[in-house]
């Protein structure tokens, strides 16, 4: 037995001749804080104890104590000591909560109903056997070889046997008619028993998954004592998914949000208070230690290096507001966003996923059509979204709709309150775009190359194949020099409406209005010159 003393006077832990009470306390999950990976469950129980020294027993999952000493919180009394052992003293039923006791009673009632239904069928079988025996006896009596006194007596006997056999046939028919219904009742009773056993199994994990937690408690006065214990589990998590709907008439975006919650902790969460948190207790909590850096020399021959990706994440920025959304209250605490559900939830262990709807949000957006003809052959419907909800919008899987039409699926980005993001809503098939390199498609020489010169001529074409006008934002990246010896001249006709878009060097944007059936061409010429002893590394 493991034993811990929690700072109470040693005399309190001395052997006590008579315990004021020795009580089994049923504990259940009354609250849960769920993280993206993992959760902390709060097990609670309340019992009435007399004044004096008492022993309080509770069944807890076997994994309690694997990560350290259990730390129960006791209200209404002082704790003198804690022990955690295998349970060889109490039947699991001694620790049933009200729900577990009701589930166990439902199993017993279902067992009784099944036995009663089976007895009804058995009674029909026995009655049929009795009728068969009676019919056989009467048949043999009618065919007996005894000499009867006269013909009248023979006729009277035959009549009585015939009447009796007729009644037996009637009774047998009635039993045959009753049997299917009684057999159906057996099937229904067996199904009800299976459901009741499943409900009990959901509420009560197997006996081997439990250990006995014993608290030695001293109460000055008789009264109610509350015990709570926080249990971490890695086998739980939550995520949010979106249905993102773009109204093409108003450019408004509606976000239907759905939280998906799952847990395989081994404990049922029944009417438990729920809080969803973006915190990651299993993540890094301290700066990486910095060690020395030692310069070394090596052979001057070139070494091929692989690029290293920057996988660092930007710090999460939260709004300070705590708006109430129906059953949920969203709140921020530093870098953590939480959703607290006003009602309790039921989440069985290992029984799949539970989905809870967050209230829908309607946000303003600017809709437009964008094209990147160097990479795509059509344009795409885009929307610049402003997060005016007052809360952080979390990342998650998304289904994207234009009006009622499902366009595709993607990943919804994390958007801080007051921030903006751009979402894509699928191709605009009315728009066709292409890039033509003139030396490949026309008779004249579009690319001129020399030892230290290169000239490229190309044409970008945008067409509206539909019967409605479209405003198009077309972007193309032209070559930009970042070396003094590389001289680049770029000619564009028509000139772009915006240069170095989003501070990206050389990214040009044209704002085009295409009438139905209209075509717009953009001509470009790139003239590059560099020293003769250098080599150009570039592809248009």
């Amino acid at each position: 037995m493991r034993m811990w003393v929690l700072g109470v006077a040693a005399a309190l832990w001395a052997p006590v001749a008579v315990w004021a009470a020795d009580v089994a306390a049923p504990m259940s999950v009354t609250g849960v804080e769920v993280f993206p990976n993992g959760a902390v469950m709060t097990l609670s129980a309340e019992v009435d104890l007399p004044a004096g020294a008492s022993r309080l027993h509770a069944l807890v999952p076997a994994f309690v104590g694997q990560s350290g000493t259990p730390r129960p919180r006791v209200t209404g009394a002082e704790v003198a000591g804690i022990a955690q052992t295998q349970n060889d003293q109490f039947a699991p039923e001694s620790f049933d909560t009200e729900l577990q006791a009701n589930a166990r009673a439902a199993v017993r009632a279902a067992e009784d109903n099944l036995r009663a239904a089976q007895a009804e069928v058995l009674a029909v079988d026995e009655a049929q056997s009795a009728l068969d025996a009676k019919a056989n006896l009467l048949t043999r009596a009618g065919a007996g070889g005894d000499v009867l006194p006269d013909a009248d007596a023979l006729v009277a006997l035959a009549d009585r046997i015939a009447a009796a056999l007729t009644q037996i046939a009637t009774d047998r028919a009635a039993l045959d008619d009753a049997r299917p219904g009684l057999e159906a009742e057996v099937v229904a009773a067996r199904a009800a028993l299976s459901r009741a056993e499943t409900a009990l199994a959901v509420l009560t994990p197997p006996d081997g998954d439990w250990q006995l937690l014993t608290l030695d408690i001293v109460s000055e006065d008789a009264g109610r004592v509350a015990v709570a214990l926080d249990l971490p589990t890695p086998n739980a998590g939550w995520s949010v998914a979106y249905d993102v709907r773009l109204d093409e008439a108003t450019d408004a975006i509606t976000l239907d949000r759905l939280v998906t919650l799952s847990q395989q902790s081994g404990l049922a969460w029944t009417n438990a208070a729920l809080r969803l948190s973006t915190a990651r207790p299993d993540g890094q909590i301290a700066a990486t230690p910095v060690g020395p850096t030692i310069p070394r020399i090596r052979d001057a021959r070139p070494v091929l290096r692989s690029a290293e990706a920057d996988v660092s994440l930007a710090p999460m920025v939260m709004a300070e507001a705590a708006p109430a959304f129906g059953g949920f209250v969203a709140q921020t605490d530093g870098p953590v966003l939480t959703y607290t559900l006003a009602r309790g939830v039921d989440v069985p262990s290992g029984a799949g996923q539970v989905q809870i709807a967050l209230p829908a949000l309607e946000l303003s957006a600017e809709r437009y059509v964008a094209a990147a003809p160097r990479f795509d052959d059509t344009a795409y419907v885009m929307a610049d979204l402003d997060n005016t909800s007052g809360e952080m919008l979390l990342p998650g899987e998304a289904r994207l709709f234009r009006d009622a039409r499902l366009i595709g699926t993607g990943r919804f980005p994390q958007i801080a309150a007051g921030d903006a993001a751009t979402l894509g809503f699928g191709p605009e098939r009315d728009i066709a775009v292409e890039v033509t390199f003139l030396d490949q498609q026309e008779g004249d020489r579009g690319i001129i190359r020399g030892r230290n010169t290169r000239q490229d001529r190309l044409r970008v074409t945008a067409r509206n194949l539909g019967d409605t006008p479209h405003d198009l934002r077309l972007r193309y990246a032209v070559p930009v020099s970042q070396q003094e010896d590389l001289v680049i001249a770029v000619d564009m006709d028509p000139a772009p409406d915006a240069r170095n878009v989003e501070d990206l060097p050389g990214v040009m944007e044209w704002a085009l209005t295409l009438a139905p059936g209209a075509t717009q061409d953009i001509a470009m010429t790139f003239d590059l010159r560099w020293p003769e002893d250098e080599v150009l590394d570039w592809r248009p």
Side-chain angles (χ1 to χ4, degrees):
M1 174 185 294
R2 291 175 287 173
M3 189 68 66
W4 301 275
V5 179
L6 301 183
V8 182
L12 296 179
W13 187 244
V16 179
V18 178
W19 296 99
D22 200 354
V23 179
M27 300 190 77
S28 60
V29 177
T30 57
V32 187
E33 182 171 13
V34 187
F35 310 107
N37 296 301
V40 173
M41 304 174 292
T42 299
L43 268 65
S44 301
E46 291 188 0
V47 293
D48 291 318
L49 293 180
S54 302
R55 270 196 166 166
L56 189 65
H57 305 279
L59 282 185
V60 296
F63 60 79
V64 175
Q66 293 179 359
S67 59
T69 303
R71 302 174 184 175
R73 302 183 300 278
V74 178
T75 304
E78 296 290 336
V79 179
I82 306 173
Q84 184 179 338
T85 63
Q86 295 296 326
N87 176 33
D88 55 5
Q89 304 179 43
F90 299 93
E93 292 85 348
S94 304
F95 299 91
D96 276 352
T97 64
E98 182 178 356
L99 285 174
Q100 290 169 329
N102 292 340
R104 206 178 298 277
V107 169
R108 289 194 291 267
E111 291 172 341
D112 292 342
N113 290 338
L114 177 58
R115 283 192 291 269
Q118 291 172 330
E120 295 270 357
V121 174
L122 181 61
V124 168
D125 291 339
E126 293 174 346
Q128 288 177 329
S129 297
L131 290 175
D132 291 341
K134 186 176 181 180
N136 290 334
L137 178 62
L138 290 173
T139 301
R140 288 197 303 270
D146 295 339
V147 178
L148 296 176
D150 53 39
D152 292 338
L154 179 60
V155 171
L157 177 60
D159 289 342
R160 290 196 299 273
I161 290 175
L165 290 175
T166 300
Q167 184 61 47
I168 288 173
T170 301
D171 294 343
R172 179 62 186 264
L175 292 175
D176 288 341
D177 291 341
R179 186 183 183 87
L182 296 176
E183 289 177 339
E185 289 181 7
V186 171
V187 172
R190 187 174 286 114
L193 175 59
S194 177
R195 290 193 298 271
E197 290 173 338
T198 300
L200 178 61
V202 166
L203 293 173
T204 309
D207 296 345
D209 291 346
W210 296 93
Q211 287 189 327
L212 186 67
L213 182 69
T214 299
L215 306 180
D216 286 359
I217 293 177
V218 177
S219 306
E220 292 186 3
D221 302 308
R224 175 145 292 208
V225 174
V227 181
L229 183 65
D230 290 336
L231 306 181
T233 175
N235 301 316
W238 72 283
S239 62
V240 62
Y242 297 85
D243 279 351
V244 185
R245 303 181 185 275
L246 173 63
D247 187 326
E248 296 197 280
T250 65
D251 287 355
I253 287 181
T254 301
L255 301 180
D256 293 326
R257 301 178 294 170
L258 195 66
V259 167
T260 299
L261 181 65
S262 63
Q263 65 104 353
Q264 297 84 36
S265 67
L267 300 178
W269 302 350
T270 305
N271 196 30
L274 175 66
R275 183 166 66 177
L276 306 175
S277 172
T278 60
R280 294 183 179 271
D282 60 338
Q284 183 171 333
I285 60 174
T288 302
V290 178
T293 176
I294 309 298
R296 298 183 184 277
I297 60 174
R298 60 173 177 81
D299 195 303
R301 288 174 296 179
V303 176
L304 183 63
R305 295 189 176 186
S306 60
E308 295 182 358
D310 181 6
V311 296
S312 61
L313 297 177
M316 186 179 294
V317 180
M318 294 294 179
E320 294 299 328
F325 297 115
F328 279 96
V329 174
Q331 189 169 5
T332 60
D333 183 9
V336 176
L337 171 66
T338 60
Y339 291 100
T340 301
L341 188 61
R343 57 180 175 82
V345 296
D346 297 337
V347 186
S349 177
Q353 297 178 331
V354 173
Q355 293 184 320
I356 306 171
L358 287 170
L361 299 175
E362 185 168 324
L363 305 174
S364 61
E366 181 184 0
R367 175 188 177 277
Y368 57 93
V369 180
R374 187 68 181 90
F375 309 103
D376 306 319
D377 59 4
T378 188
Y380 288 82
V381 175
M382 309 295 290
D384 291 337
L385 171 70
D386 294 321
N387 181 8
T388 57
S389 67
E391 63 167 309
M392 167 71 73
L393 297 180
L394 301 173
E397 298 301 319
R399 297 192 305 171
L400 300 162
F401 295 81
R402 278 160 51 186
D403 293 331
R405 303 184 303 276
L406 176 63
I407 298 301
T409 60
R411 184 76 180 170
F412 191 86
Q414 177 175 293
I415 312 175
D419 207 349
T422 300
L423 303 179
F425 286 89
E428 178 52 73
R429 298 298 186 187
D430 286 350
I431 302 298
V433 293
E434 64 178 339
V435 177
T436 303
F437 293 91
L438 298 182
D439 68 321
Q440 298 175 4
Q441 300 293 333
E442 298 187 356
D444 60 341
R445 187 168 180 80
I447 298 180
I448 301 174
R449 294 186 179 92
R451 292 174 60 93
N452 63 337
T453 63
R454 173 176 176 141
Q455 186 182 81
D456 291 78
R457 294 176 56 237
L458 58 96
R459 181 178 62 236
V460 177
T461 303
R463 296 185 179 90
N464 183 356
L465 307 177
D467 55 6
T468 58
H470 286 284
D471 293 329
L472 177 65
R473 299 183 188 180
L474 186 148
R475 290 184 180 182
Y476 197 95
V478 302
V480 176
S481 175
Q482 294 184 336
Q483 294 175 295
E484 183 178 354
D485 291 339
L486 176 59
V487 179
I488 302 177
V490 177
D491 182 68
M492 296 170 284
D493 184 23
D497 296 282
R499 297 171 181 266
N500 301 327
V501 178
E502 298 178 1
D503 296 327
L504 298 173
V507 176
M508 307 298 175
E509 181 176 284
W510 286 262
L512 306 178
T513 298
L514 297 178
T519 297
Q520 173 71 59
D521 289 333
I522 301 172
M524 301 186 196
T525 300
F526 308 145
D527 195 330
L528 295 83
R529 299 177 182 276
W530 61 94
E532 291 190 3
D533 57 348
E534 301 288 343
V535 176
L536 177 66
D537 184 11
W538 174 73
R539 294 182 63 186

